[in-house]
Amino acid sequence: MIRRRRFMELLSGTCLGLELVTTNSSATFAAPPPDISGVHISENIWIPMPDGRRLAARLFLPPGQQAAPTGVVIEYLPYRKRDAYRYRDDIAGPGLANRGIGLIRIDIRGTGDSEGVIDDEYNPPEQDDLHHVIDWLVAQPWCNGHVGMRGISYGSFNGLQAAEKGYPALKAIVSACGTEQRYLDDIHYRGGCMVQSQLDWGMEWQVIMRAAPDPEIVGGDRWRALWQERLDVVAPVGLSWMEHQRKDRKWTYGSIQDYSAIRCAIFHVGGMLDSYVNSGPRLMELAPHVPQKALIGPWTHKWPGYPDPPGHTGAPAFVANGIPDPGIDWLPVEARWWRHWLMGEENGIMDGPALWAFREDAPPGLSFPQDTPGQWASSQTWPPRHRRTRVFHFSSDGLKRKPHHGRPLVLRTNLTTGFSTPTTYITGDPDSWWRDQSRDDAQSLVLDTPPLDTALDLMGQPVFRIRVSSSEPIAKLFVRLNEVMPDGSSRPVSNAILNLTHRDSDSAPSPLVPGQEYDVCLKGLFACYRFAPGSRLRVALSESWWPVTWPSPRMVTLRIMPRHSSVELPLAPDRETPPLPFTVLAGRYDHHGLQPAPYHDSLHDVRISGPEGQRTFTLEYGSRQPQAKPVPGLTTLMGDATYARRVIREDDPGSAVMESECSSIYVHKGQKVMLRANIVVSCDSTSFHGTESFEAWLNGKRIMQRQWTRSCPRDLA
């Protein structure tokens, strides 16, 4: 299973004309690699900061830029522009430059080849530096004074953060697979629940922050001292995040607080297998004064589609390509966006529907490596001008169109419910994708409709309104929307998470009064999905969702009051879809010998031991041994490895254990750097207990070893 922001994974039309390409064809299409002839590429330039430190950047400028300054797009990341992200930048840089747009790829302070240190993600120095970068950029003779920002994941975050700052020169951003609300949607917490991916990302982030700069860029006589600066500030980042369990200053910084302050145009890119999919539609609704577009495909945490490099064979590299297919030939679309907002070109990019989404007819994991079945759909505005919904009410015998009086529905904790959705942070590795939900449904409270007479098309976020009481002061509620087929299989469509102590506030949670009834609202992930005639809608509820989140401190009994509980489904706009304003990339992953997703195996990689009633479930995947591989175009070797272990005993929520590890190797001109970060977290009914460690080696000799052990109270978690 490949982790969400895994930077070492990145190892693995060129004319200026911007004609609108439309296609509804499912024929295979592979975008040609970009032409680099004539593109001005500066391998490294230094951007001075007021404190004397310098940021390292790689610059791509269009042919003939000396005669005509151009709009320039910033990509501002901690992911090593020199080597780890080189493949992707070598595609995006020339791809935009050949269409008349400059791209500057900047290493954030203390990462890659930039000077200084970094001690956490999205801290104030990042935005301070970015302000100086923009001022520096608009003063350059090759910049026309108009600046954009692009990025996926981390780059999306800092672009959205910059949008709220209102920098006059920042005219537009492209935000892919990110969020403007760090506590609501990020990799740390969701619905007030600490998710397991926080540990995975924490160890990966630790290794990224402490990686050595490139001696060839910073100088063979300086690289060791610059690396030592980074090692000297190492601290237990994973344990620190564990201590911020509610929405506090830690998470509000770097989140948009004032949507009215946004001034730049935004193009949102998302995937329905990605946990950040809600951010784009939400921003379109909360900032209607800003010009915005959105494109949402069937993908994981990826760009919609990049060309492969020259000479590439086999399946597209997962790094930047929308997976699963169908993808989109993205760079021509993005270039039109930039030429409109940075160059003043009237090219029609803002015409047509505000939001395009791929309507899935089945879950992507069911058909991979073949394309996800379905077709593109759109909405002229978002939210739709005439929003239509369909409401189903809970009852003792399923979902009904009218409210139903009936006895409370009882739901008890089952600690082994959740393996059909091993993570909410889906990656390019099909092992991490959502699977058939039948096993989890059998252990949940399920409510079904009768078989549908006609197809039902969804577009938007399902809303679950539930009246609930709990036997314990701390309890959680997990809701899944599934499609049940005539053969009994259960297909995942959307899901929602809520720590019930966060029912009124993420910043000031409060315990439940056992037995008292509460009205709660859960919003699911954005879905664009067709329920087929003859299938049934299912709402499945559970109190535990392991290994996605930590279980409640004690076993819980929930009671759901059907008279006051319902699901509201957002229906797709009832209008004909216009021709597609982009080129579809289809059939790229088929015929390459790729393994299908383990869609029908909910216990993939899970070992079960012990007697019935006290069984221990252990999910283990990955490797602890990184393998160094050549970086194309350089003499550098790089590699990484990630490892994860999740353990729980079915009768004891206090038995939960999560371990995550990330290690990396970097070899350049005889210097061999190795890093390893590890965290193990366990719990009892009142506290979390964690041990985090970090090690660094140089040429086979361990030069640093740190270990921290901490316990912190469970803050109504």
Side-chain angles (χ1 to χ4, degrees):
M1 189 179 293
I2 304 172
R3 300 272 41 95
R4 162 192 177 275
R5 293 169 173 168
R6 182 179 175 188
F7 74 111
M8 296 294 186
E9 176 190 34
L10 304 175
L11 298 173
S12 7
T14 63
C15 62
L16 189 60
L18 297 168
E19 67 277 2
L20 185 65
V21 180
T22 64
T23 178
N24 282 291
S25 171
S26 60
T28 299
F29 177 87
D35 180 9
I36 65 171
S37 61
V39 175
H40 298 266
I41 303 176
S42 299
E43 188 65 19
N44 189 75
I45 59 175
W46 294 108
I47 304 175
M49 294 293 104
D51 65 354
R53 297 288 191 171
R54 301 178 301 169
L55 303 187
R58 195 166 180 237
L59 179 65
F60 302 83
L61 291 175
Q65 55 78 31
Q66 297 93 335
T70 187
V72 179
V73 178
I74 298 168
E75 192 156 9
Y76 185 57
L77 293 171
Y79 300 147
R80 303 183 68 89
K81 52 84 179 171
R82 165 70 168 168
D83 39 46
Y85 257 43
R86 190 176 189 88
Y87 153 70
R88 205 201 64 180
D89 297 338
D90 279 349
I91 300 295
L96 294 178
N98 276 311
R99 293 174 172 91
I101 299 297
L103 174 66
I104 186 165
R105 248 294 278 122
I106 304 170
D107 284 340
I108 287 172
R109 174 186 293 256
T111 68
D113 299 322
S114 289
E115 297 172 351
V117 297
I118 186 172
D119 59 10
D120 207 345
E121 54 182 7
Y122 316 118
N123 274 354
E126 284 187 31
Q127 284 294 314
D128 294 342
D129 285 349
L130 178 60
H131 191 177
H132 298 306
V133 164
I134 293 174
D135 289 345
W136 176 88
L137 194 57
V138 298
Q140 302 309 303
W142 33 265
C143 178
N144 68 2
H146 295 166
V147 175
M149 290 187 70
R150 79 187 300 269
I152 183 171
S153 195
Y154 205 109
S156 166
F157 278 64
N158 56 43
L160 291 167
Q161 292 163 27
E164 189 185 17
K165 300 293 192 297
Y167 302 127
L170 183 62
K171 304 301 181 183
I173 67 173
V174 169
S175 171
C177 299
T179 180
E180 88 289 6
Q181 292 296 332
R182 295 182 59 208
Y183 189 83
L184 187 63
D185 292 324
D186 197 10
I187 203 164
H188 302 282
Y189 295 88
R190 184 175 163 206
C193 302
M194 185 169 70
V195 293
Q196 40 92 339
S197 297
Q198 171 168 271
L199 305 184
D200 300 329
W201 167 234
M203 298 307 95
E204 186 179 349
W205 179 231
Q206 187 75 280
V207 169
I208 291 169
M209 290 191 292
R210 307 304 159 218
D214 190 326
E216 197 163 325
I217 297 297
V218 303
D221 56 343
R222 296 184 67 236
W223 80 274
R224 182 67 176 84
L226 292 173
W227 183 35
Q228 189 61 49
E229 280 189 82
R230 300 176 183 185
L231 296 179
D232 287 344
V233 298
V234 67
V237 63
L239 296 181
S240 172
W241 293 343
M242 190 174 67
E243 295 168 348
H244 296 270
Q245 298 165 38
R246 62 177 68 185
K247 184 180 178 181
D248 58 16
R249 175 64 179 169
K250 175 70 180 174
W251 311 118
T252 57
Y253 185 85
S255 298
I256 289 181
Q257 304 300 309
D258 181 6
Y259 288 85
S260 68
I262 302 172
R263 292 291 178 267
C264 62
I266 307 174
F267 201 132
H268 305 279
V269 179
M272 281 176 287
L273 272 176
D274 185 53
S275 63
Y276 298 110
V277 66
N278 288 342
S279 178
R282 181 173 61 234
L283 264 159
M284 298 176 84
E285 189 162 350
L286 296 179
H289 63 286
V290 176
Q292 298 183 68
K293 301 281 277 189
L295 173 66
I296 302 174
W299 320 301
T300 62
H301 193 74
K302 303 293 177 187
W303 287 102
Y306 270 27
D308 285 312
H312 180 88
T313 60
F318 286 177
V319 54
N321 282 290
I323 179 173
D325 266 346
I328 297 298
D329 188 13
W330 170 247
L331 291 177
V333 180
E334 184 178 341
R336 293 178 62 231
W337 172 262
W338 297 126
R339 289 193 63 82
H340 176 76
W341 290 106
L342 304 186
M343 308 293 286
E345 183 175 276
E346 294 300 327
N347 54 30
I349 188 67
M350 298 305 295
D351 296 343
L355 181 144
W356 283 93
F358 186 77
R359 191 209 71 212
E360 298 174 341
D361 292 350
L366 182 61
S367 55
F368 184 81
Q370 296 179 355
D371 293 3
T372 303
Q375 66 182 42
W376 290 95
S378 65
S379 179
Q380 198 66 26
T381 63
W382 196 266
R385 288 193 182 94
H386 305 289
R387 179 176 280 173
R388 301 182 305 131
T389 61
R390 183 168 298 180
V391 177
F392 291 95
H393 298 270
F394 291 16
S395 78
S396 57
D397 58 348
L399 296 173
K400 306 295 183 183
R401 293 304 308 275
K402 295 182 179 180
H404 176 81
H405 290 281
R407 66 183 187 279
L409 307 174
V410 179
L411 171 61
R412 294 183 176 86
T413 301
N414 186 313
L415 295 174
T416 71
T417 302
F419 287 109
S420 301
T421 314
T423 177
T424 60
Y425 294 88
I426 313 301
T427 71
D429 183 349
D431 280 6
S432 70
W433 299 358
W434 302 332
R435 303 166 189 170
D436 178 275
Q437 301 289 298
S438 299
R439 178 188 178 275
D440 283 351
D441 288 357
Q443 301 175 160
S444 304
L445 172 62
V446 296
L447 305 169
D448 295 351
T449 66
L452 298 175
D453 294 328
T454 60
L456 184 65
D457 288 353
L458 269 58
M459 182 186 285
Q461 290 182 252
V463 178
F464 305 92
R465 306 183 193 279
I466 299 173
R467 180 169 291 184
V468 60
S469 70
S470 169
S471 64
E472 297 289 334
I474 300 173
K476 300 178 175 69
L477 182 60
F478 305 94
V479 188
R480 292 171 284 118
L481 177 66
N482 299 332
E483 179 185 27
V484 183
M485 306 308 294
D487 64 1
S489 62
S490 181
R491 299 177 173 183
V493 177
S494 182
N495 59 70
I497 300 175
L498 181 63
N499 179 338
L500 292 171
T501 69
H502 288 242
R503 62 197 177 276
D504 297 320
S505 171
D506 286 324
S507 57
S510 59
L512 301 161
V513 176
Q516 181 172 321
E517 296 179 6
Y518 299 92
D519 289 313
V520 299
C521 179
L522 297 84
K523 291 187 175 182
L525 294 179
F526 179 98
C528 188
Y529 192 90
R530 167 166 288 182
F531 288 84
S535 69
R536 292 173 288 150
L537 279 77
R538 169 172 289 174
V539 172
L541 304 98
S542 62
E543 196 282 325
S544 180
W545 208 20
W546 178 270
V548 173
T549 71
W550 282 94
S552 301
R554 295 182 175 85
M555 305 291 268
V556 177
T557 298
L558 298 178
R559 285 179 167 78
I560 308 295
M561 315 306 159
R563 171 68 180 173
H564 303 280
S565 301
S566 64
V567 55
E568 179 182 297
L569 302 178
L571 302 184
D574 186 15
R575 59 185 298 273
E576 185 176 345
T577 299
L580 306 183
F582 37 71
T583 298
V584 174
L585 306 176
R588 296 175 303 158
Y589 294 99
D590 204 2
H591 316 301
H592 293 295
L594 296 178
Q595 293 298 311
Y599 182 77
H600 297 288
D601 183 4
S602 63
L603 295 178
H604 182 73
D605 286 337
V606 177
R607 299 193 314 273
I608 303 174
S609 60
E612 188 72 28
Q614 295 182 326
R615 295 173 298 172
T616 295
F617 289 70
T618 302
L619 172 62
E620 190 173 20
Y621 51 85
S623 169
R624 298 182 190 267
Q625 300 299 322
Q627 302 296 319
K629 298 179 181 179
V631 179
L634 300 179
T635 59
T636 303
L637 303 175
M638 299 186 74
D640 80 339
T642 57
Y643 168 82
R645 177 174 61 96
R646 323 292 188 212
V647 183
I648 199 163
R649 203 176 78 181
E650 63 183 329
D651 63 334
D652 181 11
S655 66
V657 175
M658 291 190 181
E659 179 182 7
S660 296
E661 181 172 298
C662 184
S663 53
S664 69
I665 185 170
Y666 170 86
V667 183
H668 184 78
K669 291 189 175 180
Q671 303 288 350
K672 181 180 179 181
V673 171
M674 290 188 63
L675 304 173
R676 177 171 287 121
N678 178 281
I679 189 169
V680 179
V681 176
S682 60
C683 65
D684 55 35
S685 62
T686 61
S687 300
F688 290 114
H689 310 286
T691 297
E692 186 172 342
S693 62
F694 177 81
E695 298 173 294
W697 287 265
L698 177 60
N699 298 326
K701 179 181 179 181
R702 187 163 58 193
I703 62 171
M704 169 177 281
Q705 183 177 25
R706 298 283 188 274
Q707 181 170 294
W708 307 267
T709 298
R710 293 181 185 173
S711 294
C712 66
R714 297 181 68 150
D715 187 5
L716 299 178

